[in-house]
Amino acid sequence: MGNLLDGKVALVTGAGAGLGKIEAIALAKEGARVVVTDLGTAGDGTGSSQDPANQVVEEIKGMGGDAIAVFGDVGNFEDAKKAIGTAIDTFGSLDILINNAGFCRDKTIFKLTEEDWDCIIRVHLKGHFNHMKVAAEYWRNKSKAEGGPVYGRMISTASEAFMFAPFGQPNYAAAKAGIVALSMATAQVMVRYGVNVNVICPRARTRMTMDSPVAAIFEKPADGFDVFDPEHLAHPFVWLASPLSQNVAGYVFVCYGKQIHIVERPNMDTKFENDVAWTPQALTDKLADYFKDHQPVTDGYTVPPQ
């Protein structure tokens, strides 16, 4: 076991499989005690020994680490309180929160139902909020009690869909955009307490991406470097969870393969002014030249050349 996260307690949502599992195991390898949360196969807040979350716990213990599984619905505020409360009661604290749980219901706006919208917003965006709210209050209270900054790390899992908004993912893109905004707002208020909040947008071959409209991009190559192997993402999450990222807060990272891109904050590059208040004709006069060479915005969610 490593020692980068010795003494730290981490909670990873949706850690029964996929990226969440990879993150949980990577944190444990660096010495963190890990709370593995998952819905459970029964879907009722309970889990059997065969549930993926319990299997992840056994894998961590088999490496000499320490972990516990907590079953619940990330979209339920009381379940989020239970998960974080279990971390504190079992291991004595909470130092790292990674929000990872999610799924897709990919449809165009014409076919998207109210239920398709609600469930994605609930699990992704509300799921992030529930755990961030509880953790933020815990760290603020701890900081006040100790009279100074504490150690805290929140890592949100978003997607480049928040920028490119694929036409078949209006609900998912909206949820991920909300996660980025929620995380950036939270980062600004939590840094005073010693808590860093950041966002990772992963590109990886997971169940979600392989069920998506762009699945072909993520196929495993016959040979050579596997750019979208999800194991590559373990280290960026560990780094942001560790003391090595002490001065990193309020950033959005796109991570995959051998590359990390830092997403710059939006800025207003192109500016137009009028001598008087705008009128429809004045807008036409000023903007016609700008838009004559621009095409309507269409789905631009493609992976750039490697």
Side-chain angles (χ1 to χ4, degrees), residues 179-190 197 265:
I179 286 169
V180 172
L182 170 66
S183 302
M184 295 302 97
T186 305
Q188 294 179 66
V189 74
M190 292 308 297
V197 184
R265 292 180 181 272

Side-chain angles (χ1 to χ4, degrees), residues 25-43:
I25 291 172
L27 294 170
K29 285 180 177 178
E30 290 294 344
R33 291 165 290 174
V34 184
V35 177
V36 176
T37 82
D38 203 53
L39 185 61
T41 53

